[in-house]
């Protein structure tokens, strides 16, 4: 096996390993356990992503493409616009429903106070 990627830390290494595994390349993170033992061991280059020798060239292409990925601009965003047929129903914002309940409660309290004031007259 050979090193395909020198990671900054265990999280970075796991991200790349998952990227490669999802691309059909067997990848392993090695050295992640060293971070806790030495403290800043990642700065010493101990966390790496390893792949099989025959997959090294393809792994480097996948990693390079991932590193060069860019955000989708507004023109291309139309390609990813949800169709009604495939769209996932939007969940209601929980803070919106709690705000509605709070507003209704405050209104009822106000009405009760006004009613109590009139009854005392």
């Amino acid at each position: 096996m050979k090193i395909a990627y020198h990671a900054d830390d265990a999280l970075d290494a796991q991200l790349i390993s998952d990227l490669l595994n999802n691309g059909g390349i067997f990848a392993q993170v090695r050295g992640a356990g060293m971070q806790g033992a030495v403290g800043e061991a990642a700065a010493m280059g101990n966390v790496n992503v390893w792949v099989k020798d025959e997959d090294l060239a393809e792994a480097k292409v996948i990693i390079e493409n991932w590193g060069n990925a860019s955000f989708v601009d507004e023109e291309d965003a139309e390609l990813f616009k949800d169709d009604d047929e495939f769209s996932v129903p939007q969940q209601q914002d929980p803070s919106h429903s709690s705000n509605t309940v709070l507003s209704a409660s405050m209104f009822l309290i106000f009405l009760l106070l006004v009613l109590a004031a009139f009854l005392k007259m």
Side-chain angles (χ1 to χ4, degrees), residues 3 5 7 24-25 29-32 41 43 47 68 74 79 88 95 100 105 108 110 116 118:
I3 296 173
Y5 184 74
I25 296 175
V29 175
R30 294 185 186 174
V47 182
N68 292 331
E74 294 203 17
L79 297 172
V88 177
S95 64
T100 305
S105 300
L108 288 174
F110 175 74
F118 281 123

Side-chain angles (χ1 to χ4, degrees), residues 58-70:
E58 186 180 356
K60 289 196 179 234
V61 169
I62 290 173
I63 294 168
E64 184 177 335
N65 288 340
W66 176 80
N68 292 331
S70 62

Side-chain angles (χ1 to χ4, degrees), residues 74-121:
E74 294 203 17
E75 290 177 17
D76 291 337
E78 290 296 319
L79 297 172
F80 299 101
K81 188 175 179 181
D82 287 340
D83 293 334
D84 290 337
E85 181 182 349
F86 298 107
S87 64
V88 177
Q90 297 292 325
Q91 292 182 341
Q92 185 178 7
D93 183 14
S95 64
H96 176 55
S97 62
S98 63
N99 286 341
T100 305
V101 170
L102 182 61
S103 297
S105 300
M106 294 300 289
F107 181 71
L108 288 174
I109 291 171
F110 175 74
L111 284 178
L112 289 174
L113 289 173
V114 170
L115 181 62
F118 281 123
L119 291 176
K120 286 189 178 184
M121 292 180 157

